[in-house]
Amino acid sequence: MTDDRDPEDTLREWKDAMQGEHADAIANPDPDADHRIEGVTQVSYRVYFAYDEGAGTLERDRTEQVDDLSDPELRACSCGVRGMTPEEALEHVRTARED
């Protein structure tokens, strides 16, 4: 027996189901869980090297920060909900505090 389903349809169905579960996890936080919003961001540095003739190596000489710390675009909650926009994260934590 062969499966004649279109793989694209299967992928769309899976994505819709995952998006539905994600929206539900944001809107209905577990009342027994700890809810702390977190995110990861990077600050870039320019790194300068000096050539050490004796050792024949490049050694870090100095660094210069080239951009400022910014808020991450996606947030996560310590309860396990990941990939939230700032607005979704705010909705999630507000709802958790209301319960």
Side-chain angles (χ1 to χ4, degrees):
M1 178 179 259
T2 62
D3 188 358
D4 293 332
R5 280 191 76 163
D6 179 8
E8 292 298 318
D9 287 341
T10 303
L11 178 59
R12 269 190 295 282
E13 288 174 16
W14 176 82
K15 284 173 65 177
D16 290 344
M18 292 296 104
Q19 288 172 339
E21 288 178 21
H22 187 250
D24 183 60
I26 292 168
N28 300 298
D30 180 352
D32 299 324
D34 183 29
H35 298 280
R36 287 175 289 111
I37 303 301
E38 57 193 37
V40 175
T41 189
Q42 290 182 295
V43 176
S44 297
Y45 287 85
R46 180 169 285 114
V47 180
Y48 297 90
F49 295 88
Y51 176 62
D52 181 338
E53 286 188 47
T57 59
L58 290 172
E59 302 295 329
R60 186 183 301 176
D61 184 47
R62 65 184 172 91
T63 60
E64 175 187 314
Q65 186 175 329
V66 294
D67 60 9
D68 293 324
L69 180 63
S70 62
D71 287 341
E73 291 183 27
L74 294 178
R75 315 281 167 90
C77 183
S78 58
C79 75
V81 180
R82 306 272 183 251
M84 294 183 281
T85 65
E87 295 79 17
E88 291 171 332
L90 185 57
E91 174 192 345
H92 180 74
V93 78
R94 278 184 178 155
T95 304
R97 300 280 159 88
E98 290 172 359
D99 292 339

